[in-house]
Amino acid sequence: MADVSDNTALSGSPSVPMKPVQVKLVLLGEAAVGKSSLVLRFVNNEFQENKEPTIGAAFLTQKTRVEDKIIKFEIWDTAGQERFHSLAPMYYRNAQAAIVVYDVTRAASLDKAKSWVKELQRQANPNIVIALAGNKVDLVSDEDDDLHPDELDGDEEANEDGDDMPITRQVPAEEARAYADESGLLFFETSAKLGHGVQEVFNEIARKIPIDQMLMPSRSGRAGMPGSNRIDLNNDGQGIGGRGGSCAC
Amino acid sequence: MYGFRKGNQHLSLAEIQKFEVEYAPTMQRRREKWDALLREYSNGQLPPLSSKVRRFIRKGIPPHLRGQCWLHYSGAMEYMKKNRGRYQQLVALSSDRKYREHRDLIERDLHRTFPENIQFTSAAPSTLVRRRASPVTSRFRQQPTSSTVPILQQLRRVLTAFAVRCPSVGYCQSLNYVVGLLLLFMSEEEAFWMLCTIVERIMPEGMYGVKMEGVTVDQEVLMRLLEERMPAIGHRLSRDSAEAGAPPVTFVTSHWFLTLFVDVLPVESNLRVWDCLFLEGSEVLFRVALTLFKMHEQQICAIDDPLELFQYLQNMPKRIVNCHWLMENCFRKYTSMTHVNAKELERRRKHARDVTLRRLSTTTSAAAEPAPAPTRGESVAALFRL
């Protein structure tokens, strides 16, 4: 029992031709919108129904290849409940990327996402790449075209029993996209459950990250994005459970 | 036992079963000893607290007596007896409109509490979406829940009643785990009073509140203890590495404290910690945390990459299936390194509160105000003794 085997041990993989570039990415968004599920899909290509709430924060890594470069995402998955953020104002400090998640069946979760975007744009690294992800589209997949506006503010009291809760899209894709465009965000609708759009979010972020700038070991680069020019010299293979289809090596 | 699925990515079913076989005779012996202890007192009542009882509790309460012992020795039973009917009142109040926000937050976590425990899931065939026959373009989330799973209804009522009782806390994620596990050992009303006892008496003030300042303070205390008693680890996990871009270790340890190790330690180890926690108080959390670090000292010091280290720390408690070994290490082998009593803890917390306040005031305002002076002479003394 004393020998706790280390399942996070990273094995070297000599076949990788180059050193991965490390990118710190944070996930933000209201409770239960599917932040951890997006990460689980990206990192392990798995989905768990009723994923347990994240307490504090969880940390995972995963690599992805963009063109001729390998990006190693350091993913900080955060707790959704508001009060937990008082514990960690450093969640997004030095982050080069953020995925702000909302639930397409919950209009209020987009409001929360917007306030996160505002905070990131005001306080985070000015070069941060932000993606807005509307998750859980599987719940409304064949309903996209016939949204009934009068259902948007249905009687939520009826949900009290948790049963027979009507599930409708509350955030039209066009509305979120328009907001994302005007705020300079990448935009995706995703389903962590079906794997829809998840890889795309991370790939697009990887493409948008100013890697060449990060690779320059200039002092000014460091001031702008502290830690961003950190290059993984150990070339240490896969991250935790790094079996996802994204690892190009 | 308890309905949890055995075996996961951290611990195989074979490893668990191997331990269970080893542990069975110990369990049996403890059961006999406890039964004998209870026979010494008339009509099976729990004996008053004594050094013998404390020793017995540290060696593990047999599962069939757990709920009863937790209630009795934590004081929750007395609390409940003094407030007969109060729980039912709070449940009735909780349906008021003004508690809707709490209800909504709780609702979202109900199905996410122990989704792999058979008692928390129903056998309902469809788990997600079913289409209504009517032309209305709405859809229904048929959760395997509330109306079909009794324990989830209980969980909802206990959490909402508590939110009504304690507005400064309301609902804090992680309490769902705590109450969920309690409900496997006691009735709904008992679990409610146990929750009150935990939040209001056992844990420090502000642990689950909206600002969670109690968490910040306790993590400061824990880090200080680590630095003093296990300097090699303390150095390794120092804030310097956090400055270098790695997630701070307190992200991991605050999770341990908030959930009281639920879903962090394997269940039997978790229960052994609770046996002591409910009798002895929150210092047990520090002792167990320190023990976990000490048990993995070599590995921790051998990992160079701060990110890899963080992942290691995240998963390290999940393999501690040998609960007996954990508690032995905590109270015997490493006792000199883990020992901290209630009085000392109080002093350390007071000091940590000052430190965090000072840090806060220097980081929030450029024109940093002078650090708040300790309010009492005792704090100054504490500063020097630390």
Side-chain angles (χ1 to χ4, degrees):
Chain A
M1 189 60 222
D3 57 325
V4 173
S5 92
D6 178 4
N7 71 343
T8 66
L10 306 173
S11 56
S13 47
S15 60
V16 181
M18 71 204 73
K19 320 239 182 280
V21 180
Q22 292 191 205
V23 169
K24 176 178 170 183
L25 180 147
V26 290
L27 276 106
L28 299 166
E30 204 186 52
V33 294
K35 297 178 291 300
S36 302
S37 293
L38 287 173
V39 176
L40 190 64
R41 174 59 77 189
F42 176 61
V43 174
N44 284 3
N45 198 20
E46 287 170 4
F47 178 75
Q48 184 190 328
E49 202 76 59
N50 294 320
K51 182 104 184 69
E52 297 93 337
T54 304
I55 310 295
F59 174 78
L60 298 95
T61 62
Q62 177 64 301
K63 287 188 199 167
T64 195
R65 180 192 277 271
V66 190
E67 286 136 24
D68 59 341
K69 297 185 186 68
I70 294 175
I71 302 271
K72 182 179 177 188
F73 281 113
E74 305 165 2
I75 304 167
W76 295 45
D77 180 19
T78 64
Q81 197 179 10
E82 191 103 22
R83 65 186 66 184
F84 282 85
H85 297 125
S86 64
L87 294 184
M90 73 288 272
Y91 274 142
Y92 53 76
R93 194 172 63 192
N94 304 340
Q96 288 111 317
I99 303 178
V100 180
V101 188
Y102 68 94
D103 171 351
V104 297
T105 70
R106 223 176 241 287
S109 69
L110 180 63
D111 297 336
K112 183 66 209 170
K114 287 179 181 174
S115 75
W116 270 121
V117 168
K118 210 180 275 174
E119 181 166 342
L120 286 171
Q121 290 179 335
R122 208 174 45 227
Q123 311 222 33
N125 164 6
N127 297 319
I128 191 167
V129 175
I130 306 174
L132 179 70
N135 193 33
K136 305 197 190 181
V137 286
D138 50 278
L139 294 176
V140 297
S141 53
D142 51 35
E143 201 184 28
D144 289 3
D145 300 323
D146 58 356
L147 179 78
H148 288 223
D150 55 339
E151 284 175 3
L152 287 181
D153 43 16
D155 182 12
E156 288 173 38
E157 252 351 292
N159 299 345
E160 280 305 303
D161 292 337
D163 220 355
D164 281 356
M165 181 191 287
I167 297 197
T168 54
R169 177 187 276 274
Q170 292 192 350
V171 182
E174 313 77 68
E175 180 195 320
R177 183 182 296 282
Y179 161 72
D181 286 347
E182 105 201 11
S183 308
L185 319 174
L186 301 171
F187 173 68
F188 293 88
E189 286 206 331
T190 57
S191 163
K193 181 172 178 150
L194 306 175
H196 176 85
V198 180
Q199 191 65 52
E200 288 82 345
V201 181
F202 286 89
N203 284 348
E204 197 53 32
I205 288 174
R207 264 192 285 276
K208 280 282 184 321
I209 295 275
I211 291 169
D212 297 334
Q213 203 177 311
M214 287 164 57
L215 288 172
M216 283 191 304
S218 72
R219 283 222 157 260
S220 59
R222 193 175 190 106
M225 294 210 252
S228 62
N229 57 355
R230 203 146 45 90
I231 296 167
D232 187 358
L233 298 171
N234 299 326
N235 181 25
D236 47 15
Q238 303 188 348
I240 180 171
R243 295 176 296 281
S246 58
C247 185
C249 34
Chain B
M1 214 191 306
Y2 319 118
F4 288 99
R5 200 184 68 172
K6 285 179 189 171
N8 54 42
Q9 52 170 322
H10 305 288
L11 206 56
S12 73
L13 181 61
E15 287 173 292
I16 297 171
Q17 285 170 337
K18 180 170 172 284
F19 172 71
E20 283 176 345
V21 171
E22 281 169 31
Y23 190 48
T26 311
M27 286 270 251
Q28 181 57 33
R29 198 166 57 246
R30 297 319 305 164
R31 193 174 299 125
E32 287 162 11
K33 295 248 185 191
W34 273 88
D35 287 343
L37 180 72
L38 261 60
R39 273 196 303 274
E40 284 175 32
Y41 294 85
S42 58
N43 57 33
Q45 289 219 326
L46 289 171
L49 192 56
S50 64
S51 59
K52 185 177 180 183
V53 169
R54 177 185 288 257
R55 199 173 70 242
F56 269 45
I57 288 176
R58 283 192 175 180
K59 288 185 176 183
I61 302 170
H64 71 290
L65 293 173
R66 261 200 175 111
Q68 210 187 327
C69 282
W70 291 349
L71 285 159
H72 182 76
Y73 294 112
S74 69
M77 182 54 88
E78 207 191 327
Y79 214 1
M80 181 167 90
K81 283 180 178 161
K82 279 187 187 153
N83 292 279
R84 281 284 179 214
R86 181 71 184 136
Y87 174 65
Q88 290 73 12
Q89 270 177 354
L90 289 165
V91 170
L93 279 172
S94 69
S95 60
D96 192 286
R97 229 187 142 72
K98 65 180 170 192
Y99 302 115
R100 190 163 139 180
E101 198 181 320
H102 291 314
R103 285 201 304 272
D104 184 45
L105 287 173
I106 290 164
E107 207 61 45
R108 279 187 237 172
D109 284 352
L110 286 182
H111 326 302
R112 307 202 289 155
T113 307
F114 303 138
E116 294 190 335
N117 183 308
I118 45 167
Q119 302 210 45
F120 285 78
T121 46
S122 82
S126 155
T127 51
L128 249 182
V129 183
R130 117 177 98 87
R131 217 181 164 100
R132 201 202 265 174
S134 78
V136 180
T137 59
S138 64
R139 198 165 295 218
F140 294 82
R141 184 173 282 163
Q142 191 187 30
Q143 288 282 12
T145 67
S146 37
S147 49
T148 46
V149 186
I151 204 163
L152 289 181
Q153 299 176 352
Q154 297 171 0
L155 180 60
R156 172 196 289 132
R157 285 192 294 263
V158 171
L159 290 172
T160 45
F162 183 78
V164 175
R165 174 187 163 87
C166 191
S168 65
V169 171
Y171 170 66
C172 178
Q173 284 189 325
S174 71
L175 294 181
N176 58 320
Y177 292 122
V178 173
V179 176
L181 191 56
L182 287 172
L183 283 169
L184 294 176
F185 293 90
M186 56 187 67
S187 77
E188 182 181 337
E189 186 177 4
E190 290 167 340
F192 173 79
W193 291 106
M194 197 68 212
L195 175 64
C196 296
T197 306
I198 291 168
V199 176
E200 297 164 18
R201 298 181 180 181
I202 294 176
M203 297 302 280
E205 207 183 332
M207 191 76 179
Y208 297 98
V210 183
K211 290 186 181 154
M212 300 187 107
E213 64 275 20
V215 183
T216 314
V217 167
D218 273 15
Q219 296 316 303
E220 179 71 28
V221 170
L222 180 65
M223 290 303 115
R224 187 59 79 97
L225 282 165
L226 262 180
E227 284 163 15
E228 289 172 22
R229 297 181 180 184
M230 299 166 207
I233 298 178
H235 179 70
R236 191 72 199 74
L237 302 176
S238 69
R239 288 178 200 94
D240 298 345
S241 64
E243 292 300 322
V249 61
T250 52
F251 274 16
V252 175
T253 50
S254 59
H255 181 175
W256 299 355
F257 277 54
L258 281 161
T259 59
L260 317 179
F261 289 104
V262 180
D263 228 22
V264 173
L265 286 168
V267 66
E268 196 61 41
S269 299
N270 188 190
L271 294 168
R272 288 285 303 270
V273 171
W274 277 21
D275 290 346
C276 303
L277 171 69
F278 297 150
L279 171 69
E280 301 185 34
S282 58
E283 52 268 37
V284 170
L285 298 178
F286 289 90
R287 298 194 71 164
V288 172
L290 290 168
T291 305
L292 286 169
F293 280 110
K294 186 64 192 170
M295 283 164 68
H296 300 91
E297 182 166 25
Q298 282 189 328
Q299 293 93 324
I300 291 170
C301 293
I303 300 173
D304 279 332
D305 178 35
L307 302 175
E308 196 188 323
L309 178 60
F310 186 87
Q311 291 186 318
Y312 180 79
L313 296 170
Q314 255 181 160
N315 297 325
M316 119 190 139
K318 301 198 165 144
R319 290 187 45 83
I320 308 296
V321 66
N322 192 332
C323 53
H324 214 61
W325 184 57
L326 174 69
M327 302 316 276
E328 281 283 310
N329 282 336
C330 183
F331 292 115
R332 278 175 198 253
K333 190 172 176 191
Y334 299 133
T335 188
S336 62
M337 265 170 270
T338 66
H339 186 266
V340 55
N341 63 33
K343 207 172 161 192
E344 184 191 358
L345 188 55
E346 203 36 59
R347 200 172 62 230
R348 285 176 177 274
R349 277 179 175 143
K350 194 176 283 177
H351 175 65
R353 212 169 287 132
D354 293 345
V355 169
T356 47
L357 270 176
R358 208 173 305 153
R359 198 176 297 147
L360 220 61
S361 68
T362 49
T363 50
T364 48
S365 68
E369 288 170 38
T375 44
R376 276 193 265 158
E378 201 191 327
S379 300
V380 183
L383 273 169
F384 290 106
R385 282 160 84 172
L386 284 163

